[in-house]
Structures are given as structure tokens and as C-alpha cells.
């Protein structure tokens, strides 16, 4: 029986990670292998099973957190998996990649340490996969009802495809890359998500009846008009891949690259497509411009590739460790968070500064604004070429009070042979002929225009995920994929007048 007062007696404990220096010697996930269920079960006991669960409300997927916490605490892992899979198609992804706004909204977080919800989720998901509880579902009893094309195989596209397949529709997923997975395949490093987990999930989709066509660029290899003619509905889930660039001199120099281009090559090496990356950081001084998760992924990747030094520039001030007054519970606050990549950087440098491998003669980041490889309140002024025309240095300055302009007299130079731009994304690539072929428009914010039901001005064409929402979290992408699938199913039922299938969420409960 679960200990109902564990939130008073049991301290918060994170899932154990391997030693930081050991991790830098390989590309495997950072967690220690081994049975963690008793530890995680003890953490699940800390859940108070609140009458009004704010964690549930904070999760875009509406995960039934208190329910599967209770079941995990009682040792009923199979039932816990059923509750989790009822709302989340891919908990093994969200348990590793989501920043867990649910934990920020945990009632215990009002004046203490939240339940380790993400760790419990991850343990349930991994156990379900290992025990075979999350097996492919049988075909819908209604047979194939409608034909739907899903463009893009990132988390939004995969979630929409699985929901629609389980609802009884014939789904074809089109992916322009050579393998499905989108950001999960080529954007997330393997030390955060080993690709065999993605492959297992793709095998499940195929076994359920979802068809994948890779190496097909819709809009070029096949037109949008043809896709609409051959299908009853189309879901556009192409993500947000138009990256931001700093408006400073030299940002197009050889040696300055978008972060996602760099990470894609690194993932291709891990997949065995190429032996070495043409953008490898090995032996180079690396500067990363940006302060988010993508920048942290670049940091961890560069460290593993053997960079001579790595400095991450974050234009924002170093956040406080506790909630600011303007970010009260239960909102997800902007507080100081150290990723596993920053932990590894500190292990290399002894916590003495932002560089990795060798000392940084420029002195950049010296003082309290430098932590774990990051320099805070640092604005990029420009990129300088060397005699060969390639990147030789990055000019950087401290920010003034407005947080964007360089402070007079603070400019300094960082030697660099590789600069990575991790400044986020504005929306889908605007030059895609696909949008014109489908009759879609980009809105003023650079995302595809759609209504509240994910529909567009083009009949039968829907938009899900970052393509319509803008750059967001993986948990939002999955939630939007599920919601868009429900909208498509309603649309097709209205056209075909066939009996309603068993809902995808209900069928997901059948293990």
C-alpha cells in the first residue's frame, strides 16, 4: 500500500545519471542503467492526489498524473501504463525531452520540491515497452474509412497518424528525409534520445497500418494538388524549420552554421550514414549563440566531438534559482536550470568558466555571469573572417539594461573556427511551393494560418504542430497532432456518414 504521507517524509530524488566525464566518452543516454522502479515508486508516493490537480491542467496533453502516480506507488505498473498511454502516444519521448511544466504546477512546489513527475512518467513508459504492454493495436473493426495524407513525420505528424490509423483511416505519412522521425531523428542528440526508441515506435505505427513514404518532398516530388486528389484529407505537420539569424556582420561566413544543420550531421554520423561530420567541432574553438535547449544540445555534442573550447552566449541575464515575484505558482517559471550538457562542461573545466578543453585567453565570461559553459548577458556584435575568408573570431559585448544593445567599452573577441546559431525558429520554411499548391497562407508571424479547429481555408486541409503554432515544446506537438486527428476524423465522418469508430483514446487503453 502506498504511503499517503510520503510528501512529508520522503525527499525529492532525481533519476540517477552517469558520471559526467564518463558520458563524454560515448553517445549513449545520460541515465544510469538498472532497475529504478523502487526509487521511482517511492517518488510517486509523494504525490498528494490533489482534489484539483494543477499538474494535470499544466500538461498540454492532459496527462492523468495523479492517477498513474498512485498506481505506480502501489506497484501496479501495467495499470499505470494504461493511464499514461490513454493521453500520451509517446511517453518515452516526453519523459526524456519535455521540460515538465507539470512539475512547476505541482502543489508541493508552492513552498517545496515538486514530485518528480517526469521521472515517474519515464519509468512507466520504459517498463511498458520492455514488458510488451504497449504493443500495436489491432485494426479498427470498421476497416479503412478514409484516406489521409500526413506531411511530416515529427512528433505532431506521428501523433496525428497514429490516432487516425487507430480510428480506422488509411494513413500515409510523407517525409522528405531518408528516415522518418523529423526533429526526433535528426535534431535531438542520441545522449538525450537513443534512436532505437524512435525506431520501436515507428515499427509499432507500421504494424498498426500506417504507411511511410520517405525521400518524398511534397511540393516538388509530388504536388499538393495530386495529394488532395488522392486523399480525403491532408494534415500538414512540417514543423518550424526557418531559423533565425542575428542581424550582424559576418553571419553568412563559412564556419557560421545554423544549429540544426550541425546537429543533423552529428545524428547522421550516429546513424552510420557518414563516417565523420563535415561540421565536426573536433579540435576547433566553438561559439554557440543562443540560450535554449538547442544550444545546450550543441554544447553537449561539441564536447563529445572533442572541441578545443566551447562557449555558449546567452543574451539574457542569469535567471534566479527561485521563482521571481512576477512568475507565481503554478506558472512554469524562468529559473536557473542546468542541463546535462552544462553539467558536462563544468566537469571538464572544473566549473571555472565557459570554455571546454583549454583555457580561454580572451577572459570572456569571467565573473558571476559565467556558469556551466554559458556566458549570460552577452550580445553578439559580429563574426570576423581570417585570411582564408573563413570564420576566425566572434565579437561579443555585454548587454545594457534593455537586454539587447551592447554596452559601450565592453566589446571583446572570442577566437572561433565554428559558430552555431541556436536562436530559435520563426515557422515553416517560407519558400515551400507546397503551401501555394494546397492553398495555404503564411500569417504575419510566419506560421500557417488555420482556425481553432486546425482547419484551413482549403477544404480538407489541416495544420498541426509548430507549422501552425510556432516553435514550441514536444508535448504541445503531440497534443496538437492528437487534436488535429480528432478534427480530421469529425470532418471525414461528416462526409462519409459511417458509424463513429471507437475513439482513439479509448482504444489506447486496451493493452
Amino acid at each position: 500500500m502506498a504511503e499517503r504521507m510520503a510528501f512529508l517524509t520522503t525527499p525529492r530524488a532525481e533519476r540517477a545519471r552517469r558520471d559526467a566525464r564518463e558520458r563524454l566518452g560515448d553517445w549513449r543516454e545520460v541515465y544510469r542503467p538498472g532497475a529504478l522502479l523502487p526509487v521511482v515508486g517511492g517518488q510517486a508516493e509523494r504525490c498528494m492526489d490533489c482534489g484539483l490537480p494543477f499538474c494535470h491542467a499544466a500538461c498540454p496533453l492532459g496527462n492523468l498524473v495523479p492517477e498513474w502516480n498512485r498506481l505506480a506507488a502501489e506497484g501496479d505498473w501495467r495499470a499505470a501504463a494504461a493511464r499514461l498511454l490513454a493521453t500520451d502516444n509517446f511517453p518515452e519521448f516526453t519523459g526524456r525531452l519535455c521540460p515538465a511544466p507539470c512539475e512547476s504546477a505541482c502543489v508541493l512546489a508552492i513552498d517545496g520540491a515538486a514530485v518528480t513527475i517526469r521521472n515517474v512518467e519515464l519509468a512507466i513508459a520504459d517498463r511498458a515497452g520492455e514488458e510488451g504492454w504497449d504493443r500495436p493495436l489491432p485494426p479498427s473493426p470498421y476497416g479503412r474509412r478514409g484516406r489521409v495524407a500526413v506531411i511530416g513525420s515529427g512528433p505532431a505528424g506521428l501523433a496525428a497518424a497514429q490516432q487516425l490509423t487507430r480510428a480506422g483511416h488509411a494513413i500515409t505519412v510523407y517525409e522528405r528525409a531518408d528516415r522518418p522521425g523529423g526533429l526526433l531523428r535528426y535534431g535531438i542528440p542520441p545522449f538525450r534520445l537513443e534512436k532505437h526508441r524512435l525506431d520501436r515506435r515507428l515499427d509499432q505505427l507500421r504494424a498498426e497500418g500506417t504507411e511511410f513514404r520517405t525521400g518524398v518532398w511534397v511540393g516538388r516530388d509530388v504536388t499538393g494538388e495530386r495529394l488532395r486528389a488522392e486523399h480525403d484529407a491532408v494534415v500538414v505537420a512540417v514543423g518550424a524549420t526557418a531559423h533565425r539569424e542575428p542581424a550582424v556582420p559576418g553571419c553568412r561566413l563559412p564556419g557560421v552554421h545554423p544549429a540544426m544543420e550541425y546537429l543533423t550531421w552529428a545524428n547522421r554520423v550516429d546513424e552510420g550514414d557518414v563516417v565523420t561530420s563535415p561540421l565536426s567541432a573536433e579540435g576547433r574553438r566553438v561559439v554557440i549563440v543562443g540560450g535554449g535547449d538547442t544550444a545546450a544540445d550543441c554544447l553537449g555534442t561539441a564536447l563529445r566531438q572533442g572541441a578545443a573550447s566551447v562557449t555558449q552566449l546567452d543574451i539574457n541575464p542569469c535567471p534566479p534559482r527561485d521563482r521571481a515575484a512576477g512568475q507565481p505558482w503554478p506558472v512554469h517559471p524562468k529559473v536557473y536550470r542546468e542541463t546535462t550538457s552544462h553539467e558536462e562542461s563544468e566537469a571538464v573545466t572544473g566549473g571555472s568558466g565557459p570554455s571546454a578543453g583549454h583555457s580561454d585567453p580572451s577572459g570572456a565570461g569571467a565573473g558571476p555571469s559565467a556558469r556551466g559553459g554559458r556566458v549570460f548577458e552577452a550580445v553578439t556584435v559580429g563574426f570576423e573572417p581570417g585570411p582564408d575568408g573563413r570564420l576566425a573570431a566572434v565579437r561579443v559585448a555585454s548587454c545594457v539594461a534593455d537586454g539587447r544593445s551592447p554596452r559601450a567599452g565592453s566589446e571583446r573577441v572570442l577566437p572561433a573556427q565554428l559558430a552555431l546559431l541556436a536562436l530559435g525558429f520563426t515557422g515553416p520554411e517560407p519558400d515551400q511551393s507546397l503551401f501555394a499548391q494546397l492553398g495555404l497562407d503564411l500569417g504575419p508571424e510566419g506560421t500557417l494560418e488555420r482556425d481553432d479547429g486546425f482547419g484551413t481555408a482549403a477544404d480538407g486541409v489541416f495544420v498541426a504542430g509548430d507549422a501552425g503554432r510556432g516553435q514550441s515544446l514536444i508535448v504541445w506537438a503531440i497534443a496538437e497532432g492528437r487534436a488535429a486527428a480528432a478534427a480530421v476524423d469529425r470532418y471525414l465522418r461528416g462526409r462519409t456518414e459511417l458509424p463513429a469508430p471507437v475513439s482513439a483514446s479509448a482504444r489506447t487503453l486496451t493493452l
Side-chain angles (χ1 to χ4, degrees):
M1 195 61 142
E3 171 55 58
R4 290 298 185 182
M5 303 299 285
F7 64 92
L8 295 175
T9 60
T10 303
R12 176 183 168 96
E14 294 282 356
R15 185 175 183 180
R17 296 194 286 259
R18 297 187 291 132
D19 178 77
R21 286 187 174 274
E22 174 194 337
R23 300 197 303 254
L24 291 176
D26 59 55
W27 294 86
R28 293 183 291 113
E29 288 179 2
V30 300
Y31 299 112
R32 282 186 194 168
L36 298 171
L37 298 188
V39 175
V40 174
Q43 288 299 300
E45 286 184 334
R46 298 180 67 237
C47 178
M48 296 190 295
D49 196 12
C50 307
L52 185 60
F54 285 83
C55 57
H56 169 86
C59 175
L61 284 165
N63 279 338
L64 307 172
V65 177
E67 294 187 30
W68 44 257
N69 267 335
R70 174 178 54 80
L71 291 165
E74 294 173 351
D76 193 347
W77 293 94
R78 181 163 186 159
R83 290 293 192 280
L84 177 56
L85 291 165
T87 55
D88 188 348
N89 297 68
F90 316 124
E92 69 274 30
F93 303 159
T94 54
R96 288 173 168 83
L97 305 176
C98 179
C102 53
E103 293 189 12
S104 299
C106 175
V107 170
L108 286 177
I110 294 176
D111 61 356
V115 174
T116 53
I117 298 171
R118 185 172 61 178
N119 283 186
V120 179
E121 175 186 4
L122 184 54
I124 296 171
D126 286 353
R127 179 74 183 273
E130 292 164 3
E131 298 289 345
W133 300 333
D134 185 16
R135 62 179 182 270
L137 296 186
S140 165
Y142 298 107
R144 292 304 182 213
R145 301 176 56 247
R147 296 170 301 169
V148 183
V150 177
I151 308 173
S153 64
L158 293 180
Q162 185 165 63
Q163 292 295 96
L164 287 166
T165 298
R166 290 176 171 181
H169 303 288
I171 309 303
T172 303
V173 178
Y174 293 85
E175 170 57 55
R176 68 184 185 183
D178 56 347
R179 293 184 180 88
L183 180 71
L184 297 168
R185 172 75 67 187
Y186 292 118
I188 304 297
F191 55 82
R192 291 186 63 202
L193 177 69
E194 292 180 358
K195 305 312 174 190
H196 66 85
R197 305 188 190 281
L198 171 60
D199 292 333
R200 186 191 74 83
R201 186 60 71 177
L202 293 170
D203 288 343
Q204 181 194 53
L205 267 74
R206 292 187 182 97
E208 291 177 343
T210 302
E211 180 184 355
F212 290 89
R213 295 185 185 177
T214 57
V216 179
W217 190 314
V218 180
R220 298 184 185 180
D221 301 324
V222 58
T223 66
E225 293 91 346
R226 176 181 168 186
L227 217 61
R228 291 187 68 184
E230 294 178 349
H231 298 82
D232 301 304
V234 176
V235 178
V236 180
V238 295
T241 55
H243 68 276
R244 293 188 177 94
E245 288 185 352
V248 298
C251 66
R252 299 289 180 88
L253 281 174
V256 182
H257 299 273
M260 202 53 61
E261 180 185 3
Y262 170 72
L263 292 173
T264 295
W265 277 111
N267 276 291
R268 286 195 175 279
V269 172
D270 182 66
E271 293 276 8
D273 296 343
V274 294
V275 177
T276 59
S277 166
L279 303 183
S280 175
E282 183 178 2
R284 298 180 178 180
R285 293 186 178 275
V286 181
V287 172
I288 303 166
V289 183
D293 288 341
T294 300
D297 288 345
C298 289
L299 173 63
T301 300
L303 291 171
R304 285 166 174 77
Q305 289 179 339
S309 68
V310 190
T311 304
Q312 179 189 344
L313 305 178
D314 190 335
I315 200 169
N316 298 298
C318 182
R321 293 190 178 273
D322 299 316
R323 289 179 181 271
Q327 299 174 337
W329 178 90
V331 302
H332 191 54
K334 187 172 184 178
V335 296
Y336 180 77
R337 295 180 174 91
E338 188 174 80
T339 70
T340 58
S341 296
H342 298 117
E343 183 181 67
E344 292 154 3
S345 180
E346 287 191 347
V348 170
T349 64
S352 60
S355 302
H358 304 293
S359 61
D360 187 347
S362 71
S369 64
R371 294 182 184 177
R374 285 174 285 186
V375 182
F376 292 97
E377 297 182 280
V379 58
T380 303
V381 179
F383 302 91
E384 295 184 350
D388 60 355
R390 298 185 58 83
L391 175 71
V394 178
R395 287 188 287 116
V396 62
S398 300
C399 295
V400 297
D402 67 6
R404 287 293 181 268
S405 304
R407 180 180 292 115
S410 67
E411 188 171 317
R412 55 202 185 276
V413 175
L414 301 179
Q417 294 81 48
L418 179 63
L420 304 173
L421 306 180
L423 299 171
F425 304 89
T426 58
E429 296 165 20
D431 61 343
Q432 293 197 29
S433 56
L434 164 67
F435 302 153
Q437 295 170 8
L438 290 178
L440 305 182
D441 295 315
L442 287 172
E445 296 183 356
T447 55
L448 290 172
E449 293 186 341
R450 61 183 186 179
D451 58 31
D452 292 340
F454 302 91
T456 68
D459 182 51
V461 179
F462 300 78
V463 174
D466 290 2
R469 182 182 183 84
Q471 180 184 347
S472 190
L473 306 176
I474 182 174
V475 69
W476 269 114
I478 297 172
E480 288 220 347
R482 290 171 62 92
V488 172
D489 184 57
R490 288 192 297 270
Y491 169 82
L492 292 176
R493 277 192 278 136
R495 291 188 61 191
T496 59
E497 297 183 355
L498 291 176
V502 178
S503 71
S505 61
R507 296 189 71 229
T508 306
L509 284 169
T510 306
L511 296 177

